[in-house]
Amino acid sequence: MLTKRLFPVLTVVSLFLFVTAPIVIVRAPYESTMGLVQKIFYFHVPSWMAMFLSVFILGVASAIYLFRRTASADRLAVAAAEVAAVFGLMGLITGPLWGVKAWGVWWQWDARLTMAVILELILVAYLLLRQYGGPGSDRLAAGLGIAAMANVPILYMSTEIWRTVHPLTSVVPTLPAEFGLPLWWSAAGFIVLCLTLLSVRSRLEEQRASLERLYLALEED
Amino acid sequence: MTRLDGRGSDHGRAAVLAVALVVLCAGVTGGLTTVRAQQPEAAQDGFVPMSDIPPEDQLPAAPLLVAAYSVVWALAIGYLWTIWRRLGMVERELADVTRRIGEKE
């Protein structure tokens, strides 16, 4: 019921932020060494922010389901895993488009990029397990969901721990205002979009659970 | 006037052969010159460093930027559409099962 009422509001807000984001981005100055291609940053970084939020929700919901067996937490975990995989894919596609111009190569198997691929693969594994794992796979998947969440801080800190070609995480907090405004505007759009997708995807899981209950009632009669 | 000893025809044949030889030599020489002209320049001994990439070798940034933004929009809209479609299917099935339960009762 909450998601049904929340969905239109979230959709309107995310649409507004997404439509206006390119205007704010166009007005932002060019970065001195990377030029125009640096503007990919305003969609690349927020896609990872939205992914991390989804993975955090996945991890917490998985832990609740694993220890308390709350069915609604499991449904939220499935929704969060799928949404996280979509945002992860956005990050993994926009990154190389930036990298080929900034570094001269599409891909580097350095710590940050490799860990990002591993996190995406964990999410894909989670979704495959839920789809084809059969009975008991929900608990196995919950363990995988917690592992995905545990991967996030290491992935975030990887540029500080190891030497990588990827820009440091300290770039974001130290951004000058003219670069910071488009980034946070866009990030707000991605976060609201993430919540919109989560709410509608959770509703799908709720409806599936209702359908399952009805089929059981039909068989019992 | 025809010479009966056959020497005339020998001279003629020799002349034709000589002309043919000259033409062949000229052709081969000309051909070799053309082939040599078409040969690539000799390979350089090693890699020569250069500080800047020539402009024609540089990747343009605009198509990369447009591609990145398009991918994000396409994935977001595409994913929302798949959820919508799956939700519609489940809700139709839900209505159908509810109706069947109602009919049974």
Side-chain angles (χ1 to χ4, degrees), chain B residues 7-23:
Chain B
R7 278 188 190 162
S9 63
D10 281 351
H11 282 298
R13 229 177 281 141
V16 168
L17 271 173
V19 169
L21 202 64
V22 168
V23 168

Side-chain angles (χ1 to χ4, degrees), chain A residues 44 47-48 51 82-96 116 120 123-124, chain B residues 71-72 75:
Chain A
H44 175 72
S47 66
W48 287 112
M51 195 236 202
E82 207 178 88
V83 170
V86 172
F87 282 110
L89 195 59
M90 286 178 189
L92 286 175
I93 294 173
T94 53
E120 185 72 7
L123 294 171
V124 172
Chain B
V71 161
V72 168
L75 277 175

Side-chain angles (χ1 to χ4, degrees), chain A residues 119-139:
Chain A
L119 181 56
E120 185 72 7
L121 290 177
I122 292 174
L123 294 171
V124 172
Y126 178 99
L127 294 170
L128 288 174
L129 195 56
R130 293 308 299 252
Q131 186 72 28
Y132 305 107
S137 63
D138 47 352
R139 274 176 284 165

Side-chain angles (χ1 to χ4, degrees), chain A residues 19-167:
Chain A
V19 169
T20 50
I23 302 165
V24 180
I25 291 165
V26 163
R27 292 166 72 97
Y30 296 111
E31 201 277 327
S32 62
T33 53
M34 286 180 278
L36 181 65
V37 83
Q38 179 270 340
K39 287 180 188 265
I40 292 179
F41 167 84
Y42 301 119
F43 266 29
H44 175 72
V45 174
S47 66
W48 287 112
M49 287 177 178
M51 195 236 202
F52 289 171
L53 174 68
S54 311
V55 173
F56 178 73
I57 293 170
L58 162 69
V60 172
S62 296
I64 292 171
Y65 179 67
L66 208 54
F67 298 113
R68 291 194 182 168
R69 295 280 187 277
T70 316
S72 58
D74 185 44
R75 291 198 289 270
L76 181 62
V78 175
E82 207 178 88
V83 170
V86 172
F87 282 110
L89 195 59
M90 286 178 189
L92 286 175
I93 294 173
T94 53
L97 287 168
W98 181 9
V100 73
K101 181 77 179 158
W103 306 330
V105 288
W106 291 95
W107 190 263
Q108 277 284 308
W109 286 106
D110 78 348
R112 168 59 74 90
L113 277 67
T114 307
M115 290 199 73
V117 171
I118 290 170
L119 181 56
E120 185 72 7
L121 290 177
I122 292 174
L123 294 171
V124 172
Y126 178 99
L127 294 170
L128 288 174
L129 195 56
R130 293 308 299 252
Q131 186 72 28
Y132 305 107
S137 63
D138 47 352
R139 274 176 284 165
L140 278 173
L144 213 49
I146 295 169
M149 185 174 72
N151 197 30
V152 168
I154 308 168
L155 171 58
Y156 181 75
M157 294 300 294
S158 59
T159 51
E160 318 294 325
I161 301 169
W162 296 284
R163 280 184 64 178
T164 75
V165 290
H166 196 278

